[in-house]
């Protein structure tokens, strides 16, 4: 979505990173040679680069900041399946029209936190977006978590402008990516004017980063905040996964955090609670796998008493439509099955569970279907 042309005209106080800027730009976006790829030579140059960067076989590709879908179109023509995400509705509408009937889906959403739920990809492809994000390091970590083991980041970035240089230097991006990757390649793109439809003198490049192939799992933390016999639940909204269902306040452990630190951080971000580590006690640990094609994850359920850290308030109304209290012995059915199984196991006195969905299972708790929880601490 974000482009070198925008960067060249930006000042430090007016970076064009808001959706309104790109809504206005959508109508004329494809007029830039490297946006619309209307020139056969430019299109062929990008096609050749993508063939080198993307897997040889059919792959699942997530195109973040996809704009009007020009790179997505090339990837689809090469046999890949693409999900594109862009903040601007106008960009997404044009991408959908451009690839109508093709193996591509386009979503309106934030590139830093794309609304793809539990889906995982072989490639996350991002062109001229990272430089405009408020926390590039956090975005890279999140994008890496959306990849399957051995997946690949394809990052096309640059450093543009003379009066107000903007962007990320290639060496800097390599340093940010290296802790996540097994192999990293920095490829210069400045010397190939056909890619841009003109000669360029600024720094333009691609970083190709392959993640380790060993088995890895996302680690979740869940807050079981108790008020007497009741527990606090949050109704998900606007996340792209399990929206409308109730779940305990939760989140992912970030790189370098321990699980208790992550729980303290998530409680502050979601509920405004100022929990101390000693306010938390581990109630349950669960290995869970959502319906295929999701991959397994580990969930830590931390208990805390109401009053610790203050009064809970919905600090993320864009992701949570309401906070509600329910009795632990009378939990509602409209819950995420994973969370419901964890709370049921906790109430039953278990400490270690497996919760493994089978093909055809839903994300929501379904009282009429067989339970998938297996206690690992049962006699």
């Amino acid at each position: 979505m974000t482009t070198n042309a925008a960067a060249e005209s930006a000042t430090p106080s007016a970076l064009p990173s808001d959706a309104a800027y790109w809504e206005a730009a959508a109508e004329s976006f494809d007029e830039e040679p490297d946006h619309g790829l209307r020139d056969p030579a430019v299109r062929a140059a990008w096609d050749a680069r993508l063939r080198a960067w993307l897997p040889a076989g059919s792959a699942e590709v997530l195109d973040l900041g996809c704009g009007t879908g020009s790179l997505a179109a090339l990837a689809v023509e090469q046999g890949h399946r693409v999900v594109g995400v862009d903040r601007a509705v106008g960009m997404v509408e044009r991408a959908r029209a451009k690839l109508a009937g093709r193996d591509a889906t386009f979503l309106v959403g934030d590139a830093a936190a794309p609304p793809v739920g539990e889906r995982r990809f072989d490639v996350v492809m991002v062109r001229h977006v990272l430089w405009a994000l408020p926390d590039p390091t956090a975005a890279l970590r999140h994008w890496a978590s959306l990849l399957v083991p051995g997946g690949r980041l394809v990052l096309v970035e640059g450093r543009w402008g003379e009066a107000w240089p903007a962007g990320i230097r290639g060496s800097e991006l390599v340093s940010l990516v290296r802790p996540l990757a097994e192999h990293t390649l920095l490829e210069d793109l400045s010397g190939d004017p056909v890619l841009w439809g003109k000669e360029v003198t600024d720094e333009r490049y691609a970083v190709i980063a392959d993640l380790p192939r060993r088995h890895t799992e996302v680690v979740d933390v869940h807050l079981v905040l108790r008020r007497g016999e009741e527990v606090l639940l949050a109704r998900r909204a606007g996340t792209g996964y399990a929206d409308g269902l109730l779940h305990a306040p939760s989140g992912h452990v970030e790189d370098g955090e321990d699980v208790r630190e992550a729980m303290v951080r998530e409680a502050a971000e979601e509920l405004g609670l100022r929990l101390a580590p000693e306010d938390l006690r581990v109630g349950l640990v669960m290995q869970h796998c959502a319906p295929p094609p999701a991959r397994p994850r580990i969930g830590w359920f931390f208990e805390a008493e109401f009053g610790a850290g203050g009064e809970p308030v919905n600090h993320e109304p864009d992701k949570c439509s309401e906070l509600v209290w329910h009795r632990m012995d009378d939990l509602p059915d409209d819950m995420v099955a994973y969370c419901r199984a964890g709370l049921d196991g906790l109430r039953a006195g278990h400490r270690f569970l497996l919760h493994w969905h089978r093909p055809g299972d839903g994300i929501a708790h379904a009282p009429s279907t067989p339970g998938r929880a297996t206690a690992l601490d049962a006699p």
Side-chain angles (χ1 to χ4, degrees), residues 327-340:
R327 289 182 60 88
M328 278 284 283
D329 61 359
D330 188 25
L331 292 171
D333 289 337
D334 58 337
M335 292 185 64
V336 177
Y338 170 23
C339 180
R340 174 62 186 262

Side-chain angles (χ1 to χ4, degrees), residues 69-352:
S70 295
L71 290 188
L74 294 179
V76 168
E77 289 170 8
Q78 294 176 16
H80 305 297
R81 296 172 298 279
V82 177
V83 174
V85 176
D86 201 285
R87 291 180 64 189
V89 175
M91 296 288 190
V92 170
E93 289 175 345
R94 284 165 173 77
R96 288 171 178 166
K98 189 178 292 186
L99 279 85
R102 311 293 292 275
D103 203 351
T105 302
F106 294 96
L107 307 172
V108 177
D110 185 353
V116 296
E118 298 292 303
R119 189 168 179 180
R120 294 297 176 264
F121 299 85
D122 300 297
V123 177
V124 171
M125 177 172 66
V126 192
R127 182 170 69 161
H128 300 158
V129 171
L130 189 66
W131 72 276
L133 298 181
D135 191 343
T137 301
L140 288 168
R141 284 199 304 262
H142 186 61
W143 295 345
S145 76
L146 300 177
L147 290 168
V148 300
R152 173 173 289 184
L153 291 171
V154 175
L155 309 169
V156 179
E157 287 291 337
R159 178 78 171 169
W160 313 279
E162 296 180 2
W164 305 106
I168 303 175
R169 296 195 183 282
S171 57
E172 180 184 355
L173 183 51
V174 168
S175 297
L176 294 177
V177 169
R178 188 170 285 133
L180 305 171
E182 191 168 64
H183 302 290
T184 305
L185 172 67
L186 175 62
E187 185 172 329
D188 174 60
L189 303 180
S190 299
D192 188 353
V194 181
L195 288 170
W196 318 107
K198 61 181 180 180
E199 296 282 348
V200 296
T201 58
D202 44 26
E203 182 182 10
R204 307 187 187 196
Y205 60 86
V207 170
I208 314 301
D210 292 327
L211 271 62
R213 294 185 177 275
R214 63 181 179 272
H215 176 71
T216 59
E217 292 191 6
V218 171
V219 178
D220 294 328
V221 289
H222 309 259
L223 181 62
V224 184
L225 187 64
R226 292 180 176 271
R227 188 176 70 179
E229 298 300 315
E230 296 178 313
V231 64
L232 182 67
L233 299 176
R235 193 172 300 280
R236 298 175 63 89
T239 69
Y241 179 74
D243 290 333
L245 298 178
L246 290 166
H247 197 285
S250 60
H252 296 169
V253 177
E254 298 288 355
D255 192 39
E257 284 183 321
D258 67 44
V259 290
R260 193 167 59 171
E261 290 171 339
M263 189 75 269
V264 169
R265 175 182 53 76
E266 288 289 348
E269 292 176 356
E270 295 187 21
L271 304 174
L273 296 180
R274 299 178 300 279
L275 294 175
E278 55 267 25
D279 293 327
L280 299 169
R281 59 186 180 276
V282 178
L284 178 84
V285 179
M286 176 195 293
Q287 188 187 34
H288 158 75
C289 190
R295 299 186 59 79
R297 58 182 57 218
I298 301 292
W300 288 69
F301 288 73
F302 284 94
E303 294 182 285
E305 295 299 329
F306 175 72
E311 181 84 17
V313 177
N314 184 4
H315 271 214
E316 295 184 332
D318 58 327
K319 299 179 182 178
C320 171
S321 61
E322 63 172 340
L323 297 176
V324 294
W325 293 92
H326 281 276
R327 289 182 60 88
M328 278 284 283
D329 61 359
D330 188 25
L331 292 171
D333 289 337
D334 58 337
M335 292 185 64
V336 177
Y338 170 23
C339 180
R340 174 62 186 262
L343 295 183
D344 284 344
L346 187 61
R347 189 168 66 87
H350 293 301
R351 300 296 300 279
F352 303 98

